[in-house]
Amino acid sequence: MIQEKAKKRGRPAQLLQMAELHAFVEFLLGKDPRTELQNQVIDALQAEDFNFGMLSEAQQILVKEALKPYREHLKLQLLFDELSKNPRQTEYEEKFLELYKRYQKDTLDPAETNILKTMCTRYLNFKTQKLEYSDLELYLSQIEKKDAGKKRKAENQRKFEVGGGVLSAYKVKNDDALDTEKFLKRVRADGYLAGKIRQTKIYKKVWAMDLNPKEKTELLFEVLNQLALYGNQGETVKFVDFAIEVAQTKLKQKTDSVAE
């Protein structure tokens, strides 16, 4: 009698719990916008009443693929919830919590998201004694160095943009021949003058009017020009001349008072 070879049986497909699939779909429905893959997964699971075993092999592969980021999300969320309950956190834990809060607001870039996931994995390995705390400290120091470099780069970029904006505002075309020290003195002097103008009663009166900034600026200087024209009829000396004389006397008295 010829004995038939026993057929190799493949591992039975692991049926995913319906509760997890329900929660997974709820999670996906809360996302806006969703990817095409996520929409396909939602349709497939809802069509089979969340019975993973009823899905085709191709659909099961899609669901498993889509579940990976969801499970990563749950892992992050669970660790966040756990660490948030601690009255005191280590620097590593504080950094994780900080990144996770930004993750919730969707303000992390892809590199920062990867750092968050790595921090989570390493922390869980530390809890299961697969890593020493010194390993966490080392990774944290690497993150901090990257953060410092990123901040310096952003700061330099801001300085570059602001500097370019200032040069453009002053209509500097050939900045290679620019006398930097002289130019900065001019900028500071203009800033000082603008600050003093903003403290004047005329400026405050004009700026309180219901006009846009450009109209206010034009009106302010037109008012100053008009004031210079007023004076007694038949006299060449204008009121502005008296104002200048009085102001000079006042400033001289102030200077003399300080000198004493």
Side-chain angles (χ1 to χ4, degrees):
M1 183 176 177
I2 300 173
Q3 192 174 13
E4 290 185 3
K5 290 184 179 179
K7 293 182 179 179
K8 290 184 178 179
R9 291 187 178 183
R11 291 178 63 189
Q14 184 180 4
L15 298 182
L16 300 171
Q17 295 294 326
M18 285 188 177
E20 181 185 21
L21 295 176
H22 271 284
F24 175 46
V25 168
E26 286 297 318
F27 171 75
L28 292 181
L29 289 172
K31 295 181 75 67
D32 184 26
R34 290 188 294 272
T35 65
E36 184 60 31
L37 170 63
Q38 290 169 339
N39 286 328
Q40 288 177 16
V41 166
I42 291 171
D43 293 341
L45 288 172
Q46 288 179 334
E48 298 299 342
D49 199 22
F50 301 93
N51 189 332
F52 186 78
M54 296 298 293
L55 299 177
S56 68
E57 186 177 350
Q59 288 174 325
Q60 288 182 357
I61 292 172
L62 285 179
V63 171
K64 287 181 178 179
E65 194 62 31
L67 268 168
K68 289 178 183 177
Y70 171 66
R71 285 172 172 166
E72 284 183 344
H73 165 77
L74 285 183
K75 189 167 69 171
L76 294 172
Q77 188 178 56
L78 289 172
L79 182 57
F80 173 79
D81 292 341
E82 178 188 335
L83 296 181
S84 297
K85 295 174 185 176
N86 295 343
R88 296 179 64 184
Q89 287 98 21
T90 64
E91 287 185 29
Y92 190 94
E93 292 167 345
E94 285 177 353
K95 184 64 179 178
F96 174 83
L97 293 174
E98 174 202 324
L99 286 174
Y100 186 85
K101 287 173 184 176
R102 289 179 54 206
Y103 165 76
Q104 286 179 310
K105 296 176 183 176
D106 199 24
T107 59
L108 291 182
D109 61 36
E112 289 173 320
T113 302
N114 287 334
I115 288 173
L116 176 66
K117 292 176 182 178
T118 303
M119 288 190 78
C120 179
T121 301
R122 292 192 176 212
Y123 190 84
L124 294 176
N125 285 338
F126 161 69
K127 287 188 68 178
T128 55
Q129 299 182 338
K130 293 179 182 178
L131 285 177
E132 299 290 334
Y133 188 73
S134 58
D135 296 318
L136 300 187
E137 290 179 320
L138 176 61
Y139 186 61
L140 180 62
S141 68
Q142 292 171 348
I143 294 171
E144 288 172 343
K145 285 179 183 177
K146 286 182 181 178
D147 287 346
K150 192 174 179 181
K151 286 177 182 176
R152 281 196 302 272
K153 185 178 179 181
E155 185 179 345
N156 290 336
Q157 180 65 23
R158 281 195 300 273
K159 288 179 179 178
F160 176 78
E161 290 172 354
V162 171
V166 172
L167 291 173
S168 176
Y170 278 85
K171 295 182 171 55
V172 176
K173 295 180 180 178
N174 184 13
D175 55 350
D176 290 333
L178 181 68
D179 186 327
T180 306
E181 188 175 347
K182 189 181 292 184
F183 178 72
L184 289 175
K185 283 182 179 178
R186 179 185 171 191
V187 172
R188 293 190 196 101
D190 287 349
Y192 177 79
L193 177 61
K196 284 294 185 181
I197 289 174
R198 289 190 181 95
Q199 295 174 20
T200 63
K201 292 180 180 179
I202 294 176
Y203 174 89
K204 291 176 181 178
K205 195 171 185 68
V206 170
W207 232 251
M209 299 178 72
D210 187 18
L211 300 169
N212 64 49
K214 184 180 178 182
E215 290 172 334
K216 290 177 183 178
T217 302
E218 291 176 351
L219 178 60
L220 173 65
F221 288 104
E222 186 57 35
V223 168
L224 293 174
N225 287 329
Q226 289 297 321
L227 287 174
L229 302 177
Y230 282 86
N232 292 327
Q233 192 172 5
E235 294 183 4
T236 57
V237 179
K238 305 299 181 184
F239 292 152
V240 69
D241 297 315
F242 289 112
I244 291 173
E245 185 178 343
V246 171
Q248 285 178 323
T249 302
K250 185 177 179 181
L251 288 173
K252 187 175 184 306
Q253 290 173 347
K254 186 177 180 181
T255 303
D256 293 343
S257 175
V258 172
E260 292 175 359

